[in-house]
Amino acid sequence: MAAYNHQAGTNPDLVEGTTPSSATEGFSHIWPGTHLALTASDIAEVRFYCHTSNHNRVINFSTKNDWVRTMILNGQMNSNTASHWNSGTTKLKGHTGFLPDTTTSTNTGSIESNIAFKDGNSHQFAFNPGSSRWQCDDNWDTSAATSHQIWIKLAR
């Protein structure tokens, strides 16, 4: 439940606790557990999307992974492993990125202050202004514009 339309050459703070006003123009996030009192069983799947002005690749996939559905409740990536990302995902229309399939390593802590998944230092998924990291299937480059989105599909 995040939409960050990051403008090139900027590094603004993230806006937590505000529902994104738009998938493409928004700049905020909420966590389903923290802000909406949802549980992992309320979430059927989680979608990750990003693109950058650095290249033409797009990350667009969803996952029903139990660990990801639990992590997205509050954004805490405790016990994060590559296997949560490099298998069991569904690539959605327009997906051309290397990630998540090439994921070989991850970070722990908060998703908004660490790299969620990466394949070494070549391709990373991060929206972390604290480290000036706005990465979408590439490496550290704050000069690029990026759009990062995370959405949930509710269970029925």
Side-chain angles (χ1 to χ4, degrees):
M1 309 266 311
Y4 281 99
N5 183 31
H6 167 251
Q7 301 302 309
T10 66
N11 194 36
D13 291 336
L14 300 180
V15 179
E16 182 171 349
T18 300
T19 303
S21 60
S22 163
T24 57
E25 300 299 321
F27 201 87
S28 63
H29 72 278
I30 59 172
W31 298 123
T34 304
H35 300 107
L36 301 176
L38 296 178
T39 66
S41 62
D42 294 322
I43 299 171
E45 61 188 288
V46 182
R47 176 184 175 203
F48 293 81
Y49 173 90
C50 70
H51 70 267
T52 177
S53 61
N54 248 359
H55 54 73
N56 291 326
R57 294 184 307 279
V58 173
I59 292 178
N60 191 16
F61 72 94
S62 66
T63 181
K64 297 178 182 180
N65 178 285
D66 289 339
W67 181 88
V68 175
R69 290 177 27 245
T70 300
M71 177 276 296
I72 207 66
L73 293 174
N74 63 10
Q76 294 301 310
M77 301 186 299
N78 301 325
S79 304
N80 194 8
T81 66
S83 65
H84 298 315
W85 306 102
N86 62 18
S87 64
T89 63
T90 301
K91 305 320 168 289
L92 302 173
K93 184 177 180 180
H95 177 85
T96 56
F98 293 106
L99 295 171
D101 291 349
T102 60
T103 299
T104 57
S105 61
T106 61
N107 287 7
T108 58
S110 171
I111 193 171
E112 71 258 34
S113 63
N114 286 294
I115 300 166
F117 48 94
K118 59 187 176 177
D119 63 0
N121 288 324
S122 297
H123 306 102
Q124 304 175 2
F125 181 94
F127 55 104
N128 175 1
S131 295
S132 299
R133 290 184 179 271
W134 298 90
Q135 299 156 271
C136 176
D137 212 38
D138 56 11
N139 199 355
W140 201 337
D141 182 359
T142 58
S143 65
T146 61
S147 176
H148 285 80
Q149 300 173 30
I150 303 173
W151 301 101
I152 62 170
K153 179 178 181 180
L154 294 175
R156 294 183 181 188

